[in-house]
Amino acid sequence: MARFCKEEIAPYAADWDDEGIFPRELFTKAGALGMFGIRIDPSGRQWTGLVATAAYVEAMAHSDSGSINMAFLVQSDMALR
C-alpha cells in the first residue's frame, strides 16, 4: 500500500488538488490491492480490529494527499459499518 501511495498518488496529489479533480480510477486500483474493507477478515464474518486501520493510515501517509486519504478511509472503514 505504501508503494502505491508513493508512486501512484504522491507525485500527482498537489496537481489534482489544484485542479479540483479526483481520479476515479484510483478507486479501482486501490480496490485491486485490497485497500477497501481492510478491517473485515477474508470470511467476511468478523472485524480485524483497529490495528489494521492503523497500518492502513500509516501507509496512506505516503500519499501526501489529505483529500484522497479521507476518501479512501471512508470507503475502507466507515462505509462498511
Side-chain angles (χ1 to χ4, degrees):
M1 280 189 275
R3 176 193 255 166
F4 171 76
C5 292
K6 288 177 187 177
E7 295 175 2
E8 300 283 331
I9 301 172
Y12 315 103
D15 291 337
W16 292 334
D17 285 344
D18 289 345
E19 295 171 23
I21 63 170
F22 188 101
R24 294 190 180 271
E25 65 271 10
L26 286 178
F27 278 108
T28 302
K29 290 178 180 181
L33 291 172
M35 292 177 72
F36 301 133
I38 199 143
R39 287 184 59 196
I40 300 174
D41 78 340
S43 72
R45 288 177 275 180
Q46 59 181 274
W47 294 99
T48 59
L50 293 176
V51 173
T53 298
Y56 178 82
V57 169
E58 182 178 359
M60 288 299 300
H62 296 281
S63 74
D64 294 334
S65 175
S67 57
I68 291 174
N69 291 357
M70 181 53 69
F72 278 13
L73 188 59
V74 166
Q75 297 304 314
S76 70
D77 206 49
M78 296 175 195
L80 297 173
R81 292 197 175 242

